Amino acid sequence: MPELPEVETIVRSLQPLVTGRRIVDAELPSSTADGAGSAILRRILREPAWRAPNDFVSAIRGASILGVRRHGKHLVFDLRSSNGAKYRRCLLIHLGMTGRLTCEETPEPRSPHTHLILSLDGSLDKSGRWLHYTDIRRFGRWQLLDASSEALRSLGPDPLEITFAEFAALLRSRRAMLKSLLLDQRFLRGLGNIYADESLFRARIHPAALAARLTREQAKRLYRGIRETLRLAIAAGGSSIANYVDGLGNSGYFQHEHRVYRRTGQPCVRCGSRIRKMLIASRSTHFCPRCQRAGRPVRKTASAPGRKVT
DNA sequence: ATCGGTACCTGCACGC
DNA sequence: TGCGTGCAGGTACCGA
């Protein structure tokens, strides 16, 4: 589910609630149900290999949360161990498609799909003492790593941090179709299906265009399109289509600003043509066939015969 | 290097 | 109403 803007929103909502707090305990509600529950936890806590889910609980118990930040689509909790004050670790959480991480005022699971609950210390009058992790489809992952771990380094640059010169150089070195490339976390970290489509629409570039073939002008538009889309989406609190909420349980509203994503058959907001859907890299891809032509750069719509947006 | 297909999961909308 | 089907924002792995 969550892409860069959603994870960023979750991180911002959690920061004031968890920073400086200690993890007193962790509960694994789905592991107690039956034998299958333990298998569920094993999958969520796959890396590094734990002998049993409870070993993860022992490892994390007592750690202090120094801060929480975003790395691509991952949430990263920087931790200081209880024993050996110098020992720093990272709790890496990827929410997959349907993962939720919310602060609740109760330790009771709120859904049959709640898999982990972290109890945080702190004054009782402050809300949000329990961090609930819920994941219906269970594509999410929790990893506990040394702070020096290489695990995060395999991802590409953050689209909000990269410079245009770096971005242009990356594009030139790749021949893949842009849509595939934008979904590749080793190329850029943080984009998913929604924001890849929305960025390409804003850049007026066809999703099947080849990276290395882009003109400098197109590369510039893509760079700006990605960053503008992400900034607007963060400002709107992300896109809530099915499951996503921030750390306080609030929905985002960028889904109302989508221009192509899941708008198949509806008129393009720019030219009125019907939005089309095609498959690229076996992912549904939405685009305007008129504004995002394959090949040569598209003319400005101002020069096109006036077509009313309905 | 790149791509398609498959796998991992549950829930939902849809047509019959 | 119930059932089967296809689809959904994630990544990883395989083989070509």
Side-chain angles (χ1 to χ4, degrees):
Chain A
M1 151 171 71
E3 306 179 29
L4 187 153
E6 289 76 31
V7 177
E8 181 67 28
T9 305
I10 294 168
V11 162
R12 290 182 188 182
S13 64
L14 288 179
Q15 262 162 355
L17 299 171
V18 306
T19 303
R21 292 201 165 180
R22 208 162 59 86
I23 299 168
V24 179
D25 204 358
E27 285 177 56
L28 315 172
S30 52
S31 76
T32 56
D34 49 28
S38 185
I40 290 172
L41 263 299
R42 260 179 235 280
R43 191 162 279 282
I44 294 170
L45 304 170
R46 197 161 32 171
E47 297 281 337
W50 301 98
R51 274 177 304 131
N54 272 334
D55 290 348
F56 168 81
V57 175
S58 309
I60 205 170
R61 191 183 283 133
S64 299
I65 301 173
L66 303 173
V68 56
R69 60 198 162 90
R70 178 184 63 76
H71 187 87
K73 299 177 191 173
H74 298 263
L75 291 120
V76 183
F77 288 79
D78 292 302
L79 303 180
R80 187 179 59 219
S81 282
S82 51
N83 51 348
K86 290 278 154 54
Y87 191 34
R88 299 274 169 101
R89 282 187 298 193
C90 296
L91 173 61
L92 214 63
I93 300 179
H94 194 297
L95 298 172
M97 297 260 258
T98 52
R100 282 186 182 197
L101 194 65
T102 55
C103 252
E104 309 282 351
E105 293 177 36
T106 165
E108 299 307 315
R110 292 300 192 79
S111 120
H113 299 292
T114 301
H115 304 299
L116 286 110
I117 299 174
L118 300 184
S119 315
L120 308 180
D121 74 348
S123 49
L124 278 168
D125 56 307
K126 272 197 154 185
S127 65
R129 256 194 93 194
W130 287 274
L131 213 45
H132 288 227
Y133 176 70
T134 302
D135 189 358
I136 295 172
R137 288 173 70 183
R138 308 204 293 266
F139 290 163
R141 297 286 175 264
W142 284 42
Q143 290 177 266
L144 190 58
L145 304 169
D146 289 337
S148 58
S149 168
E150 298 285 319
L152 288 174
R153 313 244 164 96
S154 60
L155 299 181
D158 190 293
L160 292 176
E161 291 169 7
I162 193 172
T163 66
F164 173 65
E166 292 164 339
F167 180 69
L170 277 182
L171 279 178
R172 276 195 299 273
S173 68
R174 303 293 290 265
R175 284 175 303 159
M177 288 188 277
L178 282 176
K179 175 64 185 279
S180 312
L181 210 49
L182 295 182
L183 292 178
D184 184 348
Q185 303 299 298
R186 292 164 304 182
F187 176 72
L188 281 181
R189 58 178 195 252
L191 290 177
N193 213 29
I194 296 177
Y195 297 107
D197 285 3
E198 292 295 316
S199 298
L200 285 164
F201 175 82
R202 279 184 166 76
R204 305 198 305 279
I205 300 173
H206 196 281
L210 302 181
R213 294 261 189 87
L214 289 194
T215 63
R216 190 175 171 78
E217 171 62 25
Q218 287 176 313
K220 193 88 194 176
R221 288 209 308 268
L222 182 55
Y223 178 75
R224 289 188 180 137
I226 291 169
R227 291 160 66 93
E228 183 188 60
T229 303
L230 294 176
R231 288 216 188 87
L232 289 171
I234 290 170
S239 303
S240 289
I241 289 178
N243 283 272
Y244 160 73
V245 292
D246 72 7
L248 298 168
N250 300 314
S251 294
Y253 47 93
F254 194 67
Q255 64 278 11
H256 304 303
E257 313 285 325
H258 291 173
R259 299 186 180 173
V260 287
Y261 183 75
R262 285 213 188 174
R263 291 193 65 245
T264 310
Q266 295 180 44
C268 169
V269 295
R270 195 186 283 135
C271 77
S273 303
R274 300 220 172 275
I275 300 302
R276 278 206 206 138
K277 182 161 105 165
M278 66 185 292
L279 279 184
I280 295 181
S282 56
R283 302 300 301 277
S284 60
T285 298
H286 312 75
F287 67 105
C288 170
R290 193 163 183 219
C291 295
Q292 298 169 262
R293 303 223 193 188
R296 306 301 301 163
V298 191
R299 281 184 313 172
K300 291 257 165 65
T301 46
S303 63
R307 188 193 271 236
K308 262 279 168 68
V309 175
T310 49

